[in-house]
């Protein structure tokens, strides 16, 4: 099948979060399936365009209109190897040659332009995708412009829109419709929600199918608590809203080969994990003992559960354990965590930075991974943690619920520890159960660690499920 993927980020070119990882691994996995031809469209951000290692070739240029604006579009192509996606970059220095990716006053206009430019590029290059798969609000206007202005060129192309996080919907004032979008009046209602222009809502209504990144999140999105205003619209999609749980790139995220680690290890030869723990303690100035290391690699924002972590933090630190946090975020959390860390030298290491090699060493060297997110569409770091033999403690929401079945010491089933309501005391209760098992029976604990490492979090199954979805539409 000819499939075009459209997103605002994809590793290794550009990544600010989980979306970037998914957009690297999913197109790659789909491209390995015989008979598929995958193209991926991204903005040609300054960071990519002026990277001396980039090797994209120019393929064509033209202009697109956004009402009175006539904007240049340059298309650059990075050819992958055999059975790899072809990446197309949309070049426009006015919109994309900036320091940073998002957060500009004109983000709405930038990504409205992007949607139109991508469709025009497909038209000029005669790509004729059978299926266009759009991700998050930044590519949400693609299904809209496709139906409104490009149907003549793509009469039977079908669209899938995937929600990676419903919190970011792409909103603009009502005047944006006339000033930027330039669509015919019949699209006004479709693009409007709650008196504003809402990109995500327009895609939910227009796309042939809507998916999100876990089955539980797909159910949760039908309720106001999770849906940031869009529950009614999402519920009305019925069974055309489905969840497909993400995988991780198990080739690159692999404790057997990860070069950031002190020593490599695997489920069959796990000894190196202990060496990684010692090395991590040394690197971060923690006491080199056998207490469990609890870790978090996260953005320090409230929906990641940092508020309930702060609430239990001192009680947590009374236990026999060590705590490592890596990440940056809201100033109030950075200050609160750092000030507590300074009271517990050798026991609590707070690292206000992001560094992927350090993240690898933390996943490898720790025993428990904390992910108390208030809501979590899928979550990737609990998967990485388990793959590195670090047992997760999670709030049973969204993808965390789907990927971390609770451990039952009686039967030996399950992969981690969960709590059911977003509440600090329940979170601490789950940590205490984990500590009980860690200290209780080393054989049970190593069996749990081994099962986590052996669980299949690859993209194989999710990619197949996407193929089934695409085939049902095309
Ligand atoms: C978003 C979500 C996260 C998900 C990722 C990739 O970042 O918040 O839960 O894993 O997208 O789909």
């Amino acid at each position: 099948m000819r499939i075009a993927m459209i997103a605002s980020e994809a590793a290794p070119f550009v990544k600010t979060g989980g979306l970037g990882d998914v957009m690297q691994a999913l197109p790659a996995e789909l491209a390995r399936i015989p008979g598929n031809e995958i193209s991926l469209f991204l903005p040609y951000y300054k960071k990519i365009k002026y990277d001396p290692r980039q090797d994209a070739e120019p393929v064509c240029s033209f202009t697109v209109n956004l009402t009175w604006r006539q904007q240049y579009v340059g298309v650059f192509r990075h050819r992958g190897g055999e059975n790899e996606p072809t990446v197309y970059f949309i070049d426009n220095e006015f919109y994309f040659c900036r320091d940073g990716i998002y957060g500009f006053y004109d983000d709405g206009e930038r990504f409205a332009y992007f949607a139109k430019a991508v469709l025009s590029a497909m038209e000029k290059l005669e790509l004729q995708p059978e299926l266009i798969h759009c991700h998050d609000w930044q590519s949400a206007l693609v299904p809209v412009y496709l139906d409104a202005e490009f149907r003549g060129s793509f009469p039977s192309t079908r669209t899938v829109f995937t929600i990676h996080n419903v919190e970011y919907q792409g909103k603009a004032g009502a005047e944006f419709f006339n000033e930027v979008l330039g669509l015919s009046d019949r699209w006004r209602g479709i693009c409007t929600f709650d008196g504003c222009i809402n990109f995500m809502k327009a895609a939910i209504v227009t796309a042939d199918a809507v998916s999100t990144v876990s089955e539980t999140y797909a159910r949760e999105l039908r309720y106001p608590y999770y849906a940031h205003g869009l529950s009614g619209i999402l519920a009305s999609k019925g069974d055309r809203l489905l969840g497909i749980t993400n995988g991780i790139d198990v080739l690159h995220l692999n404790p057997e080969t990860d070069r950031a680690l002190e020593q490599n290890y695997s489920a069959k030869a796990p000894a190196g994990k202990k060496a990684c723990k010692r090395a991590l303690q040394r690197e971060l100035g923690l006491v080199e003992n056998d207490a469990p290391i609890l870790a978090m690699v996260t953005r320090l924002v409230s929906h990641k559960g940092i508020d309930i972590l702060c609430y239990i933090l001192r009680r947590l630190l009374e236990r026999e354990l060590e705590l490592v946090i890596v990440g940056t975020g809201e100033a109030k959390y950075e200050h609160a965590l750092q000030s507590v860390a300074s009271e517990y030298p050798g026991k609590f290491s707070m690292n206000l930075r992001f560094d992927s090699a350090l993240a690898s060493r933390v996943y490898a060297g720790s025993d428990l991974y904390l992910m108390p997110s208030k809501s979590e569409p899928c979550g990737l770091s609990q998967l990485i943690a388990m793959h590195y033999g670090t047992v997760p403690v999670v709030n049973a929401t969204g993808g965390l619920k789907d990927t971390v079945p609770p451990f039952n010491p009686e039967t030996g089933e399950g992969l981690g520890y969960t709590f059911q309501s977003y509440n600090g005391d329940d979170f601490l209760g789950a940590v205490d159960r984990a500590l009980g098992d860690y200290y209780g029976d080393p054989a049970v604990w190593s069996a749990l660690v081994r099962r986590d490492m052996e669980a299949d979090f690859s993209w194989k199954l999710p990619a197949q499920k996407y193929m089934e979805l695409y085939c049902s539409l095309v």
Side-chain angles (χ1 to χ4, degrees):
M1 190 182 295
R2 285 185 307 277
I3 302 164
M5 293 270 169
I6 307 173
S8 56
E9 52 181 272
F13 304 107
V14 55
K15 163 184 154 177
T16 68
L19 175 65
D21 292 311
V22 171
M23 294 318 299
Q24 175 173 35
L26 174 60
E29 188 69 38
L30 290 170
R32 276 184 221 119
I33 297 175
N36 277 354
E37 235 174 80
I38 312 295
S39 47
L40 167 65
F41 286 83
L42 295 169
Y44 211 13
Y45 300 110
K46 181 174 177 181
K47 182 177 174 293
I48 309 175
K49 185 171 182 181
Y50 292 100
D51 182 334
R53 290 164 302 177
Q54 78 82 25
D55 59 355
E57 42 164 8
V59 283
C60 64
S61 67
F62 48 90
T63 57
V64 292
N65 300 337
L66 288 168
T67 61
W68 54 267
R69 299 167 192 76
Q70 278 229 325
Q71 293 293 6
Y72 165 85
V73 182
V75 183
F76 286 71
R77 176 170 55 204
H78 165 87
R79 278 187 197 278
E82 211 185 318
N83 304 326
E84 281 178 8
T86 303
V87 186
Y88 293 95
F89 298 105
I90 299 297
D91 179 40
N92 177 303
E93 296 219 342
F94 169 64
Y95 287 128
F96 299 130
C97 203
R98 304 182 186 183
D99 295 320
I101 308 296
Y102 315 125
F104 299 99
Y105 74 99
D106 59 348
D107 277 1
E109 183 181 320
R110 294 168 75 218
F111 290 103
Y113 158 83
F114 178 58
K116 229 174 165 176
V118 166
L119 287 162
S120 306
M122 289 175 180
E123 194 175 51
K124 299 272 184 302
L125 298 172
E126 294 177 9
L127 284 186
Q128 277 301 326
E130 294 160 87
L131 192 120
I132 298 181
H133 189 166
C134 305
H135 300 263
D136 272 353
W137 75 266
Q138 295 90 345
S139 59
L141 292 181
V142 171
V144 173
Y145 278 121
L146 172 64
D147 270 1
E149 296 181 5
F150 289 84
R151 265 300 165 206
S153 304
F154 306 102
S156 54
T157 300
R158 296 284 162 254
T159 53
V160 174
F161 177 66
T162 294
I163 300 172
H164 293 262
N165 195 335
V166 79
E167 211 175 321
Y168 309 105
Q169 298 173 4
K171 293 181 188 171
E175 70 289 351
F176 190 84
F177 189 82
N178 287 342
E179 279 180 14
V180 181
L181 295 183
L183 289 160
S184 71
D185 225 34
R186 110 180 165 78
W187 289 92
R188 190 185 300 275
I190 294 172
C191 295
T192 303
F193 185 71
D194 231 0
C196 299
I197 297 303
N198 186 315
F199 287 30
M200 188 175 268
K201 183 251 174 172
I204 294 168
V205 173
T206 313
D208 294 303
V210 178
S211 77
T212 186
V213 290
S214 68
E215 285 169 33
T216 296
Y217 195 59
R219 277 194 300 277
E220 289 172 344
L221 282 177
R222 294 172 160 92
Y223 297 94
Y225 178 83
Y226 294 98
H228 292 263
L230 296 182
S231 55
I233 305 278
L234 285 161
S236 73
K237 289 301 271 194
D239 58 8
R240 282 177 309 141
L241 164 64
L242 82 169
I244 298 178
T245 303
N246 288 332
I248 52 171
D249 180 350
V250 289
L251 264 171
H252 293 103
L253 293 163
N254 183 353
E256 239 178 312
T257 50
D258 189 333
R259 280 189 299 196
L261 306 189
E262 172 80 9
Q263 208 172 301
N264 290 112
Y265 61 94
S266 65
K268 290 197 182 69
K273 187 163 170 73
K274 183 74 181 272
C276 291
K277 177 169 180 173
R278 285 287 173 267
L280 183 67
Q281 288 170 319
R282 238 172 292 131
E283 175 179 356
L284 299 181
L286 295 167
V287 178
E288 292 179 43
N289 58 21
D290 288 331
I293 299 184
L294 280 54
M296 292 178 86
V297 178
T298 181
R299 275 179 301 129
L300 303 173
V301 293
S302 70
H303 80 257
K304 291 290 179 187
I306 311 302
D307 47 358
I308 62 173
L309 173 76
C310 289
Y311 169 72
I312 63 162
L313 192 54
R314 283 171 201 282
R315 276 184 288 159
L316 183 68
L317 288 162
E318 280 162 21
R319 274 107 172 128
E320 275 307 308
L321 52 79
E322 294 179 339
L323 179 63
V324 174
I325 299 179
V326 178
T328 58
E330 288 175 31
K332 64 176 180 187
Y333 294 129
E334 293 192 352
H335 292 148
L337 292 168
Q338 195 144 48
S339 103
V340 177
S342 68
E343 294 169 36
Y344 292 87
K347 181 158 188 169
F348 176 13
S349 163
M350 183 65 221
N351 306 275
L352 289 175
R353 62 198 156 101
F354 189 76
D355 161 350
S356 64
L358 173 61
S360 274
R361 293 194 290 274
V362 170
Y363 286 121
S366 305
D367 300 287
L368 288 168
Y369 189 80
L370 309 182
M371 203 149 166
S373 309
K374 188 169 187 179
S375 70
E376 194 61 75
C378 178
L380 299 173
S381 44
Q382 83 280 12
L383 303 179
I384 305 172
M386 287 189 272
H387 198 56
Y388 279 70
T390 299
V391 178
V393 179
V394 305
N395 181 18
T397 183
L400 297 173
K401 181 167 178 179
D402 294 342
T403 59
V404 187
F407 176 57
N408 179 343
E410 312 271 292
T411 62
E413 285 163 354
L415 298 174
Y417 297 83
T418 62
F419 56 102
Q420 305 291 331
S421 62
Y422 187 68
N423 166 311
D425 296 290
D426 289 2
F427 175 29
L428 188 58
V431 173
D432 281 338
R433 274 184 280 125
L435 295 176
D437 289 340
Y438 177 89
Y439 282 114
D441 186 340
V444 170
W445 190 260
S446 348
L448 172 57
V449 168
R450 181 177 174 141
R451 237 196 348 277
D452 279 359
M453 295 188 70
E454 283 172 345
D456 180 8
F457 299 122
S458 74
W459 271 99
K460 274 230 149 53
L461 189 63
Q464 271 168 25
K465 289 189 177 165
Y466 278 114
M467 284 311 296
E468 280 163 28
L469 170 63
Y470 302 158
C471 290
S472 74
L473 298 172
V474 167

